Amino acid sequence: MPSGSIPKEAAYQIISDELMLDGNPRLNLASFVTTWMEPECGKLMMDSVNKNYVDMDEYPVTTELQNRCVNMIAHLFNAPIGEDETAIGVSTVGSSEAIMLAGLAFKRKWANKMKEQGKPCDKPNIVTGANVQVCWEKFARYFEVELKEVKLTEGYYVMDPKKAVEMVDENTICVAAILGSTLTGEYEDVKLLNDLLVAKNKETGWDVPIHVDAASGGFIAPFLQPELEWDFRLPLVKSINVSGHKYGLVYPGVGWVIWRSKADLPDELIFHINYLGTDQPTFTLNFSKGASQIIAQYYQLIRLGFEGYKHIMENCKLNAAVLKEGIDATGRFDVLSKADGVPLVAIRLKDSTNFSVFDISENLRRFGWIVPAYTMPADAEHVAVLRIVIREDFNRSLAQRLLTDINKIVGELDAHAVHAIKLSTAAAAEGASKSTVDAVTEAFKGLAGNKKAGVC
């Protein structure tokens, strides 16, 4: 910390100059997080940036806007809410906090049931696919829950519902399904999981529920595939989380967790405080948080409506299809992502003998693109993938520019590989020639050494 102050203009310029070295958010195709919003929404956010959401008595309108968001999202997910009923849910900093809260509700409800039956409740577990986001591993480790992962196989990069249900036992607090895998954007089959789990619960007398991690797909599937059953239409789905700062189209960080009914959220997890004014119920991991992202979510919901969100998601899907078509045309990649799912393009090299997707990822940074390369989880670790996320601000011209740059990089890497082969071939030939000369020389030395007399 400096010993003295400096002018505000100097402080601004120092930080502004350093921030220029950051990547361009618009070209960050690694992230699902929103990087553009309308100026009007940005102004609303700046107008409310000094509001602490937890002060509900001081900011009652902000609290009302949050409650309206919860109700709109609950209806979007087909929650069984009557006309005079209020949805059960809360805003969070993101899907990570939302998952922690949902997981705690499942753990507490399971523990209460086990205690009533006089059974031990010290070894809870949760069943997921190995493709889950790291926040599920955090939940398991932080709150002492065993994470039972269904391993992946090459060509099938989401949780297999049949294998998941086989892993369920009496200590399973829930099965977590993903609507939009981080790895390939694919939706897991929540309907099949529900049906298989209903049968197993009936057979065993258990009551294992489902949580849907819809961080990415929750703001996509209702608009593009309204007939797809993944939400509260399925009886075992008790809670759903979604990221407002992903395809909810809000700057980071805001998320939401919605429960099917009040019975699915144990009362003992809700705290009541009165030292900020009136009695205020709260269920969060943190206390203070900004109100601006909640206000921004409300803006997007009423500004766009169902029609607007549908149009944006259709456009994202079309841009993903255009990019996929261009990548297919190169003949160098296999596309692993599905047409129905989160709008992204996940690809692997057909031949990675001379270079890998990691080389392509590194070289794309020369052009400003941030495109991640990674290996799949167990048991498909040998599959290396390049993933391109399509957001609202990624248009056709950017898609064409990206294709051009990928083709240029692949061409350069091919040329380098050929050059390397020529050099290694030349070196090998030179080595072979040298070996031959050495062998002949040694032979003549041998002959000379064996001569007893005479002219050499």
Side-chain angles (χ1 to χ4, degrees):
M1 185 176 183
S3 58
S5 304
I6 60 174
K8 60 181 183 294
E9 295 85 0
Y12 171 84
Q13 197 60 53
I14 288 170
I15 298 170
S16 178
D17 290 346
E18 282 205 70
L19 288 174
M20 290 190 338
L21 300 175
D22 264 346
N24 184 338
R26 290 281 303 275
L27 302 183
N28 180 8
L29 306 183
S31 177
F32 294 87
V33 174
T34 296
T35 52
W36 180 87
M37 295 186 75
E38 292 176 331
E40 291 79 5
C41 190
K43 186 175 185 307
L44 281 173
M45 294 181 74
M46 289 308 301
D47 290 344
S48 57
V49 74
N50 58 352
K51 289 185 180 181
N52 187 358
Y53 171 73
V54 78
D55 296 336
M56 299 179 188
D57 192 51
E58 286 79 359
Y59 309 122
V61 174
T62 300
T63 302
E64 171 62 19
L65 297 188
Q66 188 238 212
N67 294 339
R68 292 178 190 174
C69 288
V70 166
N71 275 281
M72 281 189 266
I73 295 169
H75 281 287
L76 190 66
F77 296 165
N78 294 293
I81 307 169
E83 288 187 10
D84 299 327
E85 292 180 328
T86 301
I88 306 300
V90 67
S91 64
T92 59
V93 175
S95 274
S96 291
E97 185 189 7
I99 284 167
M100 304 287 172
L101 298 179
L104 285 171
F106 282 119
K107 184 181 179 184
R108 181 57 61 91
K109 192 170 184 184
W110 168 83
N112 290 343
K113 181 186 70 175
M114 297 294 279
K115 288 175 183 176
E116 288 174 4
Q117 297 175 358
K119 297 178 180 179
C121 56
D122 58 335
K123 293 183 178 179
N125 69 68
I126 189 168
V127 177
T128 71
N131 55 312
V132 291
Q133 214 261 2
V134 69
C135 58
W136 284 99
E137 297 177 42
K138 288 182 179 181
F139 166 74
R141 191 177 303 176
Y142 293 167
F143 297 105
E144 299 180 329
V145 176
E146 180 190 0
L147 189 66
K148 299 170 72 172
E149 294 184 337
V150 178
K151 305 302 182 185
L152 308 184
T153 56
E154 184 170 355
Y156 195 84
Y157 304 111
V158 292
M159 179 180 70
D160 184 335
K162 294 179 181 178
K163 292 180 180 178
V165 173
E166 288 172 2
M167 296 174 73
V168 166
D169 59 32
E170 191 176 19
N171 293 324
T172 301
I173 63 174
C174 79
V175 179
I178 306 177
L179 194 78
S181 171
T182 300
L183 304 177
T184 61
E186 189 174 351
Y187 297 157
E188 292 183 342
D189 193 340
V190 189
K191 175 71 164 62
L192 177 59
L193 175 65
N194 178 85
D195 294 346
L196 293 172
L197 202 49
V198 165
K200 182 150 191 174
N201 284 340
K202 185 176 181 180
E203 176 188 341
T204 60
W206 301 336
D207 189 24
V208 179
I210 295 172
H211 174 85
V212 180
D213 179 355
S216 298
F219 275 113
I220 298 172
F223 305 107
L224 297 186
Q225 295 173 270
E227 75 289 346
L228 182 67
E229 293 184 50
W230 63 271
D231 51 20
F232 291 119
R233 285 171 288 183
L234 304 174
L236 290 185
V237 174
K238 304 299 183 181
S239 56
I240 300 171
N241 70 277
V242 66
S243 291
H245 61 219
K246 292 182 180 176
Y247 290 94
L249 308 179
V250 176
Y251 289 142
V254 62
W256 304 89
V257 57
I258 311 294
W259 283 272
R260 183 184 194 87
S261 69
K262 196 174 185 301
D264 297 305
L265 177 57
D267 287 334
E268 61 264 38
L269 293 179
I270 301 173
F271 290 83
H272 293 265
I273 58 172
N274 62 8
Y275 48 81
L276 293 174
T278 58
D279 176 71
Q280 297 176 10
T282 176
F283 182 35
T284 58
L285 292 182
N286 63 305
F287 192 64
S288 296
K289 68 177 177 183
S292 55
Q293 273 80 7
I294 295 170
I295 292 168
Q297 184 73 82
Y298 184 69
Y299 172 91
Q300 292 290 53
L301 290 172
I302 67 167
R303 159 79 174 94
L304 296 172
F306 192 94
E307 178 187 27
Y309 269 98
K310 182 179 180 180
H311 175 73
I312 290 169
M313 300 312 153
E314 286 175 340
N315 193 51
C316 289
K317 184 178 179 179
L318 285 172
N319 286 336
V322 167
L323 187 61
K324 174 186 175 296
E325 184 179 345
I327 288 173
D328 270 337
T330 67
R332 305 298 296 270
F333 300 94
D334 290 321
V335 178
L336 306 183
S337 47
K338 308 294 184 182
D340 292 326
V342 177
L344 61 82
V345 182
I347 56 178
R348 65 183 293 192
L349 278 166
K350 291 182 177 180
D351 181 6
S352 56
T353 304
N354 297 322
F355 57 88
S356 69
V357 290
F358 297 95
D359 297 315
I360 297 174
S361 174
E362 184 178 351
N363 277 276
L364 279 170
R365 287 181 176 267
R366 291 162 38 209
F367 300 95
W369 301 106
I370 302 172
V371 178
Y374 51 87
T375 55
M376 291 291 192
D379 285 329
E381 301 98 327
H382 60 286
V383 179
V385 176
L386 200 68
R387 188 196 68 202
I388 303 161
V389 177
I390 310 301
R391 298 188 303 271
E392 179 188 8
D393 55 355
F394 185 83
N395 56 34
R396 299 289 172 86
S397 61
L398 285 176
Q400 190 56 54
R401 183 69 252 173
L402 177 60
L403 284 168
T404 300
D405 292 341
I406 289 174
N407 279 316
K408 180 178 176 62
I409 287 166
V410 169
E412 289 174 352
L413 290 171
D414 278 337
H416 290 159
V418 170
H419 183 61
I421 290 171
K422 286 180 178 178
L423 286 176
S424 61
T425 303
E430 182 181 345
S433 177
K434 187 175 184 301
S435 297
T436 303
V437 171
D438 289 344
V440 172
T441 301
E442 291 300 319
F444 274 102
K445 282 182 180 178
L447 289 172
N450 290 330
K451 288 185 71 68
K452 302 298 182 184
V455 179
C456 184

